[in-house]
Structures are given as C-alpha cells and as structure tokens.
Amino acid sequence: MKRETKLCHYGQPSRPGPANPPVVRASTILHDTVASYRATKAARETDDSVLSYGRRGTTTAHALMEAIADLEGGEGAWLYPTGVAAIAAALMALVRPGDHLLLVETIFGATRTYCDKVLAEFGVSYDLYPAATTDLTPYIRDNTRLVFVETPGSQTYEVMDLPALCASAHAAGLVVVADNTYGSGWLCQPLALGCDVSIIAGTKYLGGHADVMMGSVSARGEAAALVRKATHLSGQSLAPDEAYATLRGMRTLALRLERHEQNALALAAWLDARPEVLRVLHPGLPGHPGHEIWKRDASGSNGLLSVVFAPGIDTEALLDNLQLFGVGSSWGGFESLAMPIAPERSRPSLQGLPEEAQIVRFHAGLEHAEDLIADLEAGLTAVTAKG
Ligand SMILES: *Cc1c(COP(=O)(O)O)cnc(C)c1O
C-alpha cells in the first residue's frame, strides 16, 4: 500500500465505527477479576498496545504509536510530551555515566544545551563533528558511545551522508541517533538509511496546525529495547488529546508538505533574485552543501528556508513590516513565520559571507505563494525606502 493511503487509514477502529480513534481518557483501567488484571500486567511486558494503565497510554496513544512506528520504519515508537523530552529520553536510554558523544555541528540548539547542562552532570562529554563527515575515525575516543545526526541541519540545512556515516559509526560499535524533525518521517527515513533511532518533534509537521506539542522516538534492534525500557520506567507518556490531534494532523501530512515545499521553493527563487539578499539556504537548491545527497536520500524538502540579507538591510524592521509572516518560535504549522537567527558563522553554508550580514529563518505556510511574495516585497520596499 502507498504511504499516502496509509496516512488516511492509520488507527481506524473496526467498522461500524468512527473514522478516527476516539479520545480515550483514563488513568485506571477496570477489571472484573484479579486474573484479568494479572493477565493484562503480564501481557504489557512485551506488547505496548495492551490497555493496562493511563501512564502506558490508552487506545488513542497506542494508535499513534503504531502509526509513527510504521511511518518511520521502526520496530516500535514511543511518545513524549515535547520534542525535547523525546530527545532527552533517547539520550538517557542510550548513554551511561562517563560516555563520550559525537554531535553534528549543526545540531538543534536545545539538544546541545541538554548535553551541556544535564548530561555533563553525569560525566558525559561530547565533541562536535562537521556535517560533511563520512569517516568518524578521527573523532572517536575509547569511551565514545553515540553519534547524534540531524539532516539537514537546524537553521542552515547542511545535508549529511547518513549511509556513509552510519557505516563508519557501526564499524566502531556506536549507536546512531537521528533528529528527523525536518523530514518528519515523510521526506526522509533515517532508520532505512542506517540509523538506529529516529526522533521527530511532532510539534512541527505531524501536528501541523501550531496547536500540539509532542515528540516521538522510533527505533530498531538493541536501541529499541533500551528506549522502550527507559521510557516506561521513567513514566513518559502523551495525553490522549495530544495523541488524537497528532494523528489527525498526520492524515494530511503528505498533502501539506507538498504545498510547504512548493511555497518555500517559490520564496527561495524570488528572494534569491533580490539585490537585498546575499544567499538563500535551502537543501533543495543546487549548490547548497550536500544538495546532491539530499536528492539521493530524501523525497523532497519542507517549508523552511533561511535567508542571508546584505549588511545594511534592517531585518528587524523588515520582520516588523510583514503582515502574513508572524514572528515566533517553532514551525511546521499551516502559517508562515519569520524569525531572526544567529547560527555559528563556522557553518559550511555561511562561508564567505560578511560578519554583519543578518540571517532570517522563514517558514513558508500554506497561504498562496503570490500573497507571501507580495508581503515580502512590500516589507522590503518599506525598509529600503527608509534606509
Ligand atoms: C522544534 C524542534 C525540536 C524540539 O521540539 P519541541 O516540541 O519544541 O520540544 C527538536 N528538534 C528539532 C530539529 C526541532 O526543530
């Protein structure tokens, strides 16, 4: 069955029945007999779809777990109240005191901060490695356990060669964890490309409507068993309303991403031709670091693009002038966003640019591209006329 068709049918109850799994709110699950209670407890040891207690998820969360595991190609998927909670849970499941980690230089900021402020207290250290790395040998120490990847990278979208990197990591006995929020299980399949664990901040495209917070960890092999155990023992779960909203969002994931991609590419082309713009960062553009690898390993791009403006362009005034682009954190919802960003200037995609150049990250929403471009044009005209 095609993936688009599966999105429409994930978690559907048996017929006659509702088209979506109902929101089942429960802490206690009642049994008539002690024997039934005991049998349920025993069954959940090996089966996450057993309805045993609210902390282990009700049927609503179970439907979503199955859907995400299938989308990501994992042996299982586990759910968390935010994307960062999913990242923290995966790291806590796989890392031990004294371990050394390798984080890609373009890693999502909060992932690195978690390592700096929490894992460091457990004697866990890390080094950064370049996004273009295919051979990890120079970075591996005796106590290295885990490699964290994210492709394309946060904010600047450098593409990683996951098959090559995973081969190098596995040859050294390391576990590979991917932040797959950019592709959200649709554009890119890190587990199929060799990773052991794939994390999605479902807050972004899975929910897709800027009204849900959630995260997932999908995994295979030994890593799956470790993530499952740590998740259950640490009491992680996702509330049924959030699980419902996420699965509802996933019904239109393919359709939305198609439009987000078209709009982002339209904005990229228009901005690239503007005199105020020095560079547009987007993995779908020829010449972008790793563009050929992205074409090989992914099925498309999403609504994100970052734009480097020429020194002298007042980007803050530009953002204040935009009507359709809201200023705010996160992305992946139906709405367009713009936000000033300040990634490290050492990143490959930022080479050769003046230090004073300001960078803005845009998220192209589902509006009509012509309206978005007209908004940008009006905003740029206002700031350049003033300057
Ligand atoms: C947003 C994001 C997260 C964190 O998700 P939250 O739900 O906001 O905690 C993690 N990784 C990436 C790449 C993200 O963009």
Side-chain angles (χ1 to χ4, degrees), residues 81-85 87 108 111 150 154 179 181-182 201-204 213-215 330-331:
T82 67
V84 166
I87 290 165
F108 179 63
T111 305
E150 185 178 332
S154 269
D179 186 327
T181 302
Y182 182 99
T203 306
K204 309 286 168 56
M213 299 290 303
M214 72 82 62
S330 202
W331 42 270

Side-chain angles (χ1 to χ4, degrees), residues 112-271:
R112 189 169 172 186
T113 305
Y114 184 78
C115 294
D116 286 333
K117 306 230 160 144
V118 180
L119 292 184
E121 308 227 332
F122 295 87
V124 174
S125 61
Y126 70 83
D127 280 306
L128 299 174
Y129 65 92
T133 303
T134 50
D135 178 7
L136 287 163
T137 316
Y139 306 98
I140 295 174
R141 296 197 208 153
D142 287 346
N143 58 338
T144 305
R145 181 184 294 261
L146 179 149
V147 185
F148 209 109
V149 306
E150 185 178 332
T151 186
S154 269
Q155 300 190 336
T156 46
Y157 321 114
E158 287 84 354
V159 179
M160 304 181 67
D161 188 340
L162 291 187
L165 190 103
C166 289
S168 165
H170 289 150
L174 310 182
V175 59
V176 185
V177 177
D179 186 327
N180 192 26
T181 302
Y182 182 99
S184 285
W186 190 256
L187 304 173
C188 182
Q189 249 74 42
L191 298 180
L193 294 172
C195 299
D196 303 287
V197 174
S198 178
I199 300 169
I200 301 176
T203 306
K204 309 286 168 56
Y205 284 120
L206 296 189
H209 295 74
D211 55 2
V212 185
M213 299 290 303
M214 72 82 62
S216 69
V217 179
S218 304
R220 57 193 181 93
E222 240 178 281
L226 289 168
V227 168
R228 179 175 191 266
K229 177 178 148 205
T231 298
H232 292 330
L233 293 178
S234 55
Q236 288 283 6
S237 79
L238 183 70
D241 289 277
E242 308 311 287
Y244 180 90
T246 306
L247 192 55
R248 178 180 166 140
M250 284 171 65
R251 303 287 185 216
T252 54
L253 179 67
L255 205 56
R256 285 185 286 109
L257 275 169
E258 209 176 295
R259 174 62 76 89
H260 284 297
E261 173 177 43
Q262 285 168 7
N263 281 357
L265 287 169
L267 296 188
W270 186 83
L271 283 159

Side-chain angles (χ1 to χ4, degrees), residues 46 68 125 211 215 239 259 307 315 324:
T46 53
I68 295 179
S125 61
D211 55 2
R259 174 62 76 89
V307 179
T315 53
L324 297 178

